[in-house]
Amino acid sequence: MGVWWRQHDLHHDQQHQQHLGSLCAPILARKFDKKTCNTIAYTGFALGLICAAFVAPGSVWGVTLCIGFGRFCSGLNASLSPAMYADIGDYYENKTGYRMHSYLLSFFSLNFSVAQLFTGSIISICLGIVGFDKGAAITPEMLTMFRNMVSLIPGIPLALGAVASLFYPLSEKKMEQVHAELTAKQSAE
C-alpha cells in the first residue's frame, strides 16, 4: 500500500506540474511568441527527460525533479499546440479559401492515439531486448532499460521536435498579416 501511495503521489505531483506549465504558457506567450514558447517547451521537456537518465540515475528525487521539470514544460506545449493548429488553419484558409480547423484539431487528438499505439509496441520491444520475463529476477540491464524507457527513448524524439519547431514558419507578424487578409476577404463577401 505504501509503494502504491507514493507512486500515486508522484503521478499526482507531475500532473500538478503539467497544469502549472499550462497556466504559465499564456504569460510566456505574451512575453515571447508562440513559436519561441513552443521551442522552449519541447527543449525543456526533452532536457528534463534526458537529464533523468544521466544526471541523477540513482536518485529517486533527482529523477522525479528532472521528469517533473519535463512535465512542467509539456504543460507549456499542451496549451500552445491548439493555438498553433488554429494558426495553421487560418493560414490555410487564407491561401486556399477552405476552412479546415476541425480537421486540424482532430489531427491534433489523433497524434495522442498514434503515440499510445506505438508506446505499447516500443515498451514490449525494449523489455524483450533485455529479456524481461514476469516473475524473473530484475537484472542491472533491466533497470537501465526501465530508466531509458522513461527518459532517453521519449526524450530523443522530443529533442528532434525542438529542432523541428525552429522551422515553424508562422510568426506572430506573419499571422497578423494573415488575419488582416482574412478579415478583408470576409468583409468583401
Side-chain angles (χ1 to χ4, degrees):
M1 179 70 173
V3 173
W4 176 86
W5 181 252
R6 187 63 208 134
Q7 288 173 341
H8 174 73
D9 260 4
L10 288 175
H11 176 71
H12 203 73
D13 290 347
Q14 289 174 359
Q15 283 181 327
H16 289 307
Q17 290 158 343
Q18 187 174 16
H19 292 307
L20 184 61
S22 295
L23 292 172
C24 291
I27 297 165
L28 289 174
R30 277 188 226 109
K31 183 165 177 67
F32 305 106
D33 61 353
K34 286 180 274 197
K35 174 184 174 179
T36 302
C37 289
N38 196 52
T39 302
I40 290 168
Y42 269 113
T43 303
F45 197 6
L47 286 176
L49 294 181
I50 292 170
C51 284
F54 295 109
V55 173
S59 166
V60 172
W61 288 108
V63 169
T64 301
L65 288 173
C66 290
I67 292 176
F69 174 74
R71 294 290 295 198
F72 170 81
C73 292
S74 78
L76 294 173
N77 179 269
S79 292
L80 294 168
S81 292
M84 294 176 80
Y85 274 79
D87 284 350
I88 294 167
D90 290 345
Y91 178 79
Y92 184 81
E93 180 181 357
N94 188 44
K95 286 297 220 183
T96 65
Y98 297 107
R99 290 187 52 83
M100 65 179 293
H101 292 79
S102 57
Y103 170 76
L104 280 171
L105 290 174
S106 67
F107 182 72
F108 174 68
S109 64
L110 177 67
N111 291 338
F112 295 108
S113 299
V114 171
Q116 288 174 339
L117 172 73
F118 285 112
T119 299
S121 300
I122 291 169
I123 289 170
S124 296
I125 290 168
C126 290
L127 293 176
I129 288 171
V130 293
F132 179 79
D133 190 20
K134 183 180 176 182
I138 303 295
T139 65
E141 293 82 18
M142 288 179 194
L143 290 174
T144 300
M145 182 58 77
F146 296 156
R147 186 175 53 235
N148 289 341
M149 286 188 324
V150 298
S151 58
L152 289 179
I153 293 171
I156 291 170
L158 284 167
L160 295 174
V163 172
S165 71
L166 294 172
F167 299 101
Y168 180 74
L170 302 179
S171 66
E172 299 297 323
K173 187 175 183 177
K174 176 72 173 175
M175 288 313 300
E176 287 175 14
Q177 176 188 353
V178 166
H179 290 135
E181 290 173 12
L182 274 174
T183 302
K185 287 177 184 179
Q186 291 168 353
S187 297
E189 291 176 355

